[in-house]
Each structure stands twice: as C-alpha cells, then as structure tokens.
Amino acid sequence: MNNTWGDMAQYDPLIWNWIIAIYLFMAGLSAGSVLIGIGMRWYSKDKSIESPILKASAIIGPVAICLGLACLVFDLTKPFHFWLILINYNFDSVMAMGVAALMAYMPLGFIYSIIVLRDDLAKWKLGFLTPIGNMFLPFRKVIEVLMFVLAIAVGAYTGFLISAMNAYPMLNTAILPALFLASGLSAGAAGNLIVALTCFNSSTHDGEVMKLHGLDLPVIITEMMFLFMLFTSLYFTGGAAAESLASLSQEVWGSVFWYGVVGIGFCIPILSMFLPSSTRHTKAMMLTVACCSLTGVLALRHFIVYAGQTYIS
Amino acid sequence: MNKRYVMVHDENKCIGCQACNIACRSENNVPEGVTRLQVRVEGPYGEAPNLHFKYHRVSCQQCEDAPCVSVCPTGAAYIDENGLVSIHNDKCVGCMYCIAACPYKVRFINPITKAADKCNFCKDTRLARGEQPACVTACPTDALYFGDANDSESEVALLLNTKITYQDKTHLGTKPRVYRIPTKRGGIES
C-alpha cells in the first residue's frame, strides 16, 4: 500500500470464486441428470422397470444439489444465517427465484428418488423409506412432470444468476442460461452413465446406455454453437465486451478454456467416436469419455466465473 | 419519494488530500482495511510540462436504478423513503451478489458485521441530525456539495443547472446520483 487513498484489496473485481463455480457445476449436473433420467423414461418402451440410467439420476439429482448447496452456504459470510434467505424473498432477484425453485426441487427430488429406488433401498439399509415410496407411487406422473419443469428452471437459473449482472460484459449475455442448460445436460448424461455402469452394473450394450451415448454428439455440438455465439456477440458488441475476449488468449483462463473445455471436454469425446466400435463400447472407454465430459463442464464453469469477472464494462 | 439527495464533486477544486476519506472512516466507524470512500489520484496525463492529475471519487453512487438492490435475494439492500440505497444488516446473509453486481465496485463486506457495507451519505448519523455528510464538512477546498436536487433553491440544484457535470458509467442505465464537475485544464480565465 503506497498510495494516499488506502487499501485496494476490497476493490478486486473477482467476488465469486471457485466455490461458486463448483456450485454452478453441481446444480447443472443435478438438473441435467434429472432431465436425462426422466426424459429417457418417457421415451422408453418398457415403463414397468426402473432403468439403471433412471436409478443413477435418482442418486445424482439430490446428492449433487445438496453438495452444491453446501458449497453455497459455506461461501456466505454469515453461513449460520442462511435461513434468512429462505424466509425473505425479493422476486426482482434471480437468486431469490432460484432459492424458491430449489425449495420445491429438493424435497420433490428426494421423494422421486425414493419412488424410483423403492426396491433397492433395503439393500442399503434404508428399507424404512420404502413405504414412503409406495405412498407416493400413485402420484408419480405428476411428480415427474413437476421435477422435469423444476430441473429446467434449476439448470437455467444458474445462467440467469450470473447474467443478471450488467457490470460484467462476458456474463451479461442472453446465451448464458442456454449454454449452462446444455452443458448441464452433458454433465448429467456423463454422470448418469458413470453411476449406471459402476453402481448398477448396467451393460455397455444396454439399449438405454446406447441411447444415452448417442446423445453425446448433439449436446456437444449445441454447446460449441452456444460458445461460438457467446464469443461472436462479445466481439460485435465492442468496447469492454470485445476486450473480454482477451481471456481466451491469456495464460491461466485461456489454458483452462482451450485445454479443459475444448481439449478434454469436446475433442476427446468427439475423437473417441472415430474409434472402432469394439473399443468405443468398452466400459473403460465409456467411463473415460464420461469423465472427460464432466471435467470439460467443470472447466467451463470455472472459465466463465473467473474470466467473466475479470472484465468490467 | 420527496427528496433526491445528490452529491457533486468538483474535480477542479479537489486536491486528493483524503480528508474526506479519513472523516468518513471516523464518522462511520469503518474498520481497518476497508473503505467507503476513496479519492484516487489518477495520472499524470498529458506531456510535460503540461501534466495534470485526475481526482476520481470512488464511493457509492446512490443509483436511482441500483443493480445491487434488484439482485439482493433477501431485500437487505433497499431504497429508503428518501431514495437512499441502504442495507439492513440483519437481513444480509453475505452472498456477495450485490458486491458482484455493483458496476462501481464500491460495496464490501464489513469485517465486523459480516454484512455488505458502503457509503450511505451518513444518513444514520449526520444526516439524521440535519448535518451534511462528514466528507462534505471535512473538505478543505469545498470541492464537495450535497443536498436535495428536488429543491430548486438548493446549492446542488443551482450547480447542476449552471455547471457541466458528468456521471460514471451512465451507459449501464443505473442513473448515479454522484455528479462530477470535470477539470477545466489551463487555469482560470474568466
């Protein structure tokens, strides 16, 4: 401190850090996993059995959002006052709308999980929950539709949350909620695949697994398109927005983007599709590709949070 | 809203002495390491021997369309009956959304209360007693003016009507209520 006006530490533009990036990742993973699980159930022919993919989403959905919210609460400067946010609502605030959505999404998510896993609960010494699952079974359709809608809200709200800040040109764009929803789907698909293959001993040639695997390419192409749209809109906006594109070529966040998001998240899954079918459909290969997708999505959240806050308009 | 409190900073008169900064600190018990108000001495600009500095006041701009108020999830950040952007310490959970959303980066977490904090034109202390904010009173060169711009007789209304002023980052649509009189370089002619 050698200026006349005092300490500059509080003026660091980086306010939200990696904890928030992890929360955004977890919320996207949870929402994406639920959307894929329920969506695939609606499109499957045999609705009488609970598919390993749906069971995986029944675990990832509630667990990921709980871990994410734990990050969020402990990032507050007053973590033990978090309940204030549950009773005071300012509906101009995207965060308040998100909290309201999560208040419905979380309990419903647990109920839906108990319904889906009702026959497996006894194996994990949670048999006492089975009657609750059976109790809600008649309302399954309604809960499913509500969960699907709420999952879209949760997945997109994380994008609206940071795009609501007009001080940051890279965040203040309409494309961010769509990008976050698409990359959440990619994370959800990868997460469901990993849990289905490892915890529920699903075969790599299972019809549902193959269908899920087929989703990879369209989701990645959508994400790439949204990213391209984000960067072109910044370029054409000019000023501070165009300057923020420098983050793509600067050391740390440039590397996170090109190696993490593009290299690991996009290129490895796409290149794996050129492998011979016998290699491509081995469990090890599928798990590797899914882990790469998850890493890419995590890298994308970090890039957006950090690079986004570096440039102020 | 019956009052429209504004502050005018005459950058011609300001000498960057930080008396306002210190007065604010003492009046509002601002803890060590954080500030509600700084005057940054920027520059020098120009070529020798015609160098000049710019004196840039950094404090809450008391926006009429305040981004910090609209993003606050609990309503802890609010606009009071006189239009001043204020904070309910006991409603704030410290999510830092307001700090991130502020385009002027003038909010901070108070290390003692753990709530978001910023300049409020001394509304709980000096304004409540019918006095001017501490920075205005302490300024040795009278570079600061404060008052109700809705009162056409007030000094600030007169200034805004007669002087060229600018506000920071008006392109973001926040309608800041800190006005600045830009430095007229080259001395006083008339």
Side-chain angles (χ1 to χ4, degrees), chain A residues 104-126:
Chain A
Y105 177 79
M106 285 187 61
L108 264 182
F110 276 107
I111 291 171
Y112 189 64
S113 292
I114 295 171
I115 296 175
V116 170
L117 300 168
R118 63 193 181 284
D119 297 332
D120 296 87
L121 289 167
K123 274 187 276 177
W124 304 317
K125 300 197 166 53
L126 293 167

Side-chain angles (χ1 to χ4, degrees), chain A residues 3-13 15-16 20 75-79 81-86 88-96 99 160-168 309 312-313, chain B residues 16 18 21 33-41 58 67 69-75 89-97 99-103 105-109 113-115 169 171-172 174:
Chain A
N3 54 55
T4 51
W5 51 86
D7 210 323
M8 289 289 282
Q10 83 189 53
Y11 297 96
D12 183 354
I15 311 297
W16 282 349
I20 298 299
D75 191 47
L76 298 176
T77 60
K78 297 200 265 180
H81 287 81
F82 79 92
W83 51 270
L84 283 168
I85 216 165
L86 307 177
N88 295 302
Y89 284 92
N90 164 25
F91 280 103
D92 285 341
S93 166
V94 178
M95 192 184 284
V99 170
F160 284 114
L161 181 75
I162 56 176
S163 73
M165 301 187 283
N166 68 355
Y168 302 117
Q309 287 181 90
I312 303 181
S313 55
Chain B
Q18 309 299 327
N21 180 336
V34 288
T35 48
R36 286 186 177 193
L37 160 63
Q38 294 184 338
V39 174
R40 306 241 177 100
V41 183
V58 178
V69 172
S70 55
V71 299
C72 177
T74 61
N89 280 347
D90 48 353
K91 268 190 172 183
C92 175
V93 293
C95 68
M96 297 187 275
Y97 202 6
I99 302 178
C102 172
K105 296 285 153 233
V106 290
R107 279 182 168 239
F108 56 92
I109 292 293
T113 62
K114 304 284 179 199
K169 298 189 181 185
H171 64 283
L172 294 173
T174 52

Side-chain angles (χ1 to χ4, degrees), chain B residues 119-131:
Chain B
C119 160
N120 60 1
F121 286 163
C122 292
K123 80 161 192 174
D124 303 318
T125 52
R126 299 181 61 90
L127 223 55
R129 298 196 294 265
E131 299 164 15

Side-chain angles (χ1 to χ4, degrees), chain A residues 239-250:
Chain A
E243 275 166 32
S244 71
L245 286 173
S247 56
L248 288 175
S249 55
Q250 274 161 1

Side-chain angles (χ1 to χ4, degrees), chain B residues 52-65:
Chain B
H52 68 274
F53 288 91
K54 196 172 143 38
Y55 301 98
H56 190 232
R57 182 189 164 103
V58 178
S59 67
C60 176
Q61 305 293 296
Q62 293 291 348
C63 307
E64 280 175 60
D65 283 334

Side-chain angles (χ1 to χ4, degrees), chain A residues 35-47 51 54 141 144 148 207-208 211-212 215:
Chain A
L35 287 172
I36 299 243
I38 295 177
M40 289 192 59
R41 178 182 149 78
W42 287 345
Y43 276 96
S44 70
K45 289 184 197 85
D46 184 6
K47 291 199 175 57
S51 79
L54 185 60
K141 191 82 208 172
E144 239 167 38
F148 195 82
E208 299 276 291
K211 247 194 273 176
L212 187 58
L215 273 176

